[in-house]
Amino acid sequence: PWSALPWTYMLISSGAIALALLRGRMLVQQRTQERREEERQRVGQRTRLNTLGELAAGMAHEINQPLTAILANTQAASRLLDDAEPDMTAARSAMQMAVQQARRASDVVGRLRRTVERPGSAAAVQSVDLHAACQHALYLLEPELKRSRCTPTLTVDGTPLEVQADPVALEQIIHNLLTNALQAMEQVPPQQRTLQLV
């Protein structure tokens, strides 16, 4: 009869089996999510490496200026110190300018390094001036703009436009958008090429 069946044992067994199945499903979902996250990180890393190639020309242009300034300032300081009556004030000033340019070059290299880091070690989200980021992107693209004979225009109303973002990631996005715009204008006559950032 039904009353003679081991209902308690059957309920406990059924509960244990259900819990085991639920636990197994959770483990499978967790492993799937981990694999998906690892693949997303690999894709992100490849994307950043591709972007690195695009940024390299602009970074090389930017870092060349402080290095040239460092060379000029140190040579000027050396000439000043070689004089019969060295101008110590001018020599110190030249060396201080060289130090400032060296720090600027270090910042450029730091930005380049952070560009290819893994997402977990990327810079934290912070307040960034969008206008300044656009101006910097245009500066990096200056050689490409000259080659394409395109005149950029950045409309700024004087009010800072602050956004919350990773500075390096934001710079990458703006750089990519501007690069795409330049590529899209390749079929446009040079005299009609304009690039407006509003």
Side-chain angles (χ1 to χ4, degrees):
W2 287 96
S3 59
L5 293 173
W7 291 106
T8 302
Y9 173 76
M10 291 169 62
L11 287 173
I12 293 174
S13 299
S14 299
I17 292 171
L19 286 174
L21 291 173
L22 181 61
R23 177 62 178 165
R25 182 178 179 183
M26 290 174 62
L27 286 173
V28 170
Q29 290 177 341
Q30 181 180 358
R31 288 173 184 166
T32 302
Q33 182 65 24
E34 288 174 354
R35 286 195 296 269
R36 186 179 295 117
E37 183 63 27
E38 289 174 359
E39 181 62 24
R40 186 160 47 243
Q41 289 184 359
R42 282 195 294 269
V43 170
Q45 183 73 358
R46 286 195 295 270
T47 301
R48 279 184 295 279
L49 289 174
N50 291 336
T51 304
L52 174 62
E54 298 174 3
L55 288 174
M59 288 291 186
H61 171 72
E62 185 176 358
I63 202 171
N64 186 55
Q65 290 187 341
L67 291 178
T68 302
I70 291 170
L71 179 61
N73 286 315
T74 52
Q75 287 176 338
S78 178
R79 284 194 300 270
L80 289 169
L81 294 174
D82 286 340
D83 289 344
E85 296 182 3
D87 186 346
M88 299 303 293
T89 302
R92 287 193 189 96
S93 177
M95 294 306 296
Q96 288 173 356
M97 292 175 65
V99 168
Q100 292 174 358
Q101 294 298 326
R103 287 176 180 157
R104 179 183 168 195
S106 176
D107 291 340
V108 173
V109 173
R111 284 201 306 273
L112 185 61
R113 177 182 56 81
R114 289 193 300 272
T115 301
V116 295
E117 285 182 344
R118 297 182 66 84
S121 59
V125 172
Q126 56 187 273
S127 181
V128 182
D129 185 345
L130 187 58
H131 292 151
C134 290
Q135 288 173 341
H136 188 256
L138 288 172
Y139 176 75
L140 291 179
L141 282 170
E142 185 178 342
E144 287 77 7
L145 290 167
K146 288 181 178 179
R147 277 197 298 271
S148 64
R149 289 186 284 177
C150 178
T151 304
T153 303
L154 175 61
T155 302
V156 180
D157 60 5
T159 305
L161 181 58
E162 299 287 334
V163 296
Q164 296 297 316
D166 177 341
V168 175
L170 179 62
E171 185 174 301
Q172 285 179 260
I173 292 169
I174 297 172
H175 185 278
N176 290 340
L177 289 173
L178 295 177
T179 301
N180 292 340
L182 289 176
Q183 292 174 351
M185 287 189 289
E186 288 178 353
Q187 305 303 322
V188 178
Q191 63 273 15
Q192 297 179 11
R193 295 176 186 174
T194 58
L195 184 61
Q196 296 182 352
L197 287 78
V198 182

